[in-house]
């Protein structure tokens, strides 16, 4: 079955950096675009960044200039997070969208604290 697995989360100090990865396995093809979402306790899941199959990128205003979304193959996506703030603390989710379905990972915890 299709599986999306996030990794790279952890505890960092304010101003530090983390690099999240999303690995896709299983019978998934023709991914149109992939997205990173994050969810705060008691809140809905919000879009952080998006990258299309053609390489177009979009970012939420709150992370613009600090986060960079990228990919090195159609089934691997990264989120480089620099200058991290306490308000970046959340569970980060990988999302892959095809013409047929939308897939989600289980999430990885990012905690920014001193």
């Amino acid at each position: 079955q299709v599986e999306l697995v996030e990794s790279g989360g952890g505890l960092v100090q304010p101003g530090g950096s983390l690099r999240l990865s999303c690995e896709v396995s299983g019978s998934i093809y023709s991914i149109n675009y992939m997205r990173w979402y994050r969810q705060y306790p008691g809140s809905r899941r919000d879009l952080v960044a998006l990258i299309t199959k053609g390489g177009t990128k979009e970012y939420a205003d709150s992370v613009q200039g600090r986060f960079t979304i990228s990919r090195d193959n159609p089934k691997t996506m990264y989120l480089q997070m620099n200058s991290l703030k306490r308000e970046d603390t959340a569970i980060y989710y990988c999302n892959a969208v095809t013409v047929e379905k939308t897939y989600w990972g289980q999430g990885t915890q990012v905690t920014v604290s001193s």
Side-chain angles (χ1 to χ4, degrees), residues 62-77:
S62 59
V63 306
Q64 182 73 43
R66 299 188 298 118
F67 291 10
T68 303
I69 189 170
S70 64
R71 60 184 181 184
D72 59 12
N73 65 66
K75 295 185 177 181
T76 305
M77 179 177 65

Side-chain angles (χ1 to χ4, degrees), residues 43-59:
S43 300
R44 71 177 186 178
R45 197 170 296 181
D46 295 321
L47 178 66
V48 175
L50 176 153
I51 184 167
T52 70
K53 193 173 184 178
T56 301
K57 301 174 182 179
E58 296 181 3
Y59 299 93

Side-chain angles (χ1 to χ4, degrees), residues 29-99:
Y29 304 97
S30 299
I31 298 173
N32 291 333
Y33 55 92
M34 298 182 72
R35 300 179 289 193
W36 285 102
Y37 279 75
R38 66 185 179 187
Q39 187 169 21
Y40 304 103
S43 300
R44 71 177 186 178
R45 197 170 296 181
D46 295 321
L47 178 66
V48 175
L50 176 153
I51 184 167
T52 70
K53 193 173 184 178
T56 301
K57 301 174 182 179
E58 296 181 3
Y59 299 93
D61 290 342
S62 59
V63 306
Q64 182 73 43
R66 299 188 298 118
F67 291 10
T68 303
I69 189 170
S70 64
R71 60 184 181 184
D72 59 12
N73 65 66
K75 295 185 177 181
T76 305
M77 179 177 65
Y78 305 96
L79 185 68
Q80 179 66 46
M81 306 186 295
N82 298 326
S83 302
L84 284 163
K85 305 174 180 179
R86 288 181 174 85
E87 50 263 44
D88 294 319
T89 296
I91 300 175
Y92 285 73
Y93 295 90
C94 178
N95 169 242
V97 180
T98 71
V99 69

Side-chain angles (χ1 to χ4, degrees), residues 5-12 17-22 36 79 81 84 92 107-111:
V5 179
E6 303 94 338
S7 63
L11 174 65
V12 297
S17 298
L18 282 175
R19 183 178 175 86
L20 304 184
S21 298
C22 176
W36 285 102
L79 185 68
M81 306 186 295
L84 284 163
Y92 285 73
T108 185
Q109 178 70 49
V110 172
T111 302

